[in-house]
Amino acid sequence: IYSPPKIAPFSRRTSSIQKGERITLTCTIAKGDLPLSIVWRKDDTNIDSTNAENDDIKIIAFNEFISMLTIDDLDVRHIGNYSCLASNSAGTAIRYQTVHVNGNNI
């Protein structure tokens, strides 16, 4: 019997995020059987880090269970709901994080 993925909560920064700063969201799969698929989304649209429009967004997979999304030079265009979606043959899990800019917390 396969175990569906479970995503650990994002660690949240409590300081204000200002335009021009850098943020990182780490998606850690706490539980779930391989093979796993991890996809990052913004406002329910998959993030394609190879798209020139997203050249300030980087996605790094450390291993099968950890993926990191980094946004360099944060700007108002980055405001939105980001999500990490993990799936395997047993199910799908999703974790959301809202990103605000200029004095609002993330």
Side-chain angles (χ1 to χ4, degrees), residues 20-81:
E21 290 186 351
R22 177 181 306 112
I23 64 163
T24 300
L25 299 176
T26 302
C27 183
T28 303
I29 311 305
K31 184 176 164 184
D33 289 323
L34 294 173
L36 283 164
S37 167
I38 301 174
V39 175
W40 285 96
R41 305 182 89 190
K42 179 184 181 233
D43 299 325
D44 296 323
T45 301
N46 287 2
I47 295 172
D48 178 3
S49 59
T50 62
N51 184 331
E53 184 180 304
N54 295 324
D55 62 352
D56 48 359
I57 298 176
K58 294 178 180 55
I59 298 171
I60 301 163
F62 286 97
N63 58 35
E64 297 94 338
F65 306 105
I66 301 172
S67 178
M68 181 183 286
L69 180 139
T70 301
I71 303 174
D72 291 327
D73 195 18
L74 201 62
D75 200 347
V76 292
R77 73 180 181 277
H78 297 118
I79 293 171
N81 291 307

Side-chain angles (χ1 to χ4, degrees), residues 1-6 29-36 87-91:
I1 299 173
Y2 284 102
S3 172
K6 178 183 176 192
I29 311 305
K31 184 176 164 184
D33 289 323
L34 294 173
L36 283 164
S87 56
N88 65 12
S89 59

Side-chain angles (χ1 to χ4, degrees), residues 6-17:
K6 178 183 176 192
I7 302 172
F10 290 128
S11 57
R12 296 174 184 232
R13 280 181 41 188
T14 56
S15 59
S16 295
I17 304 301

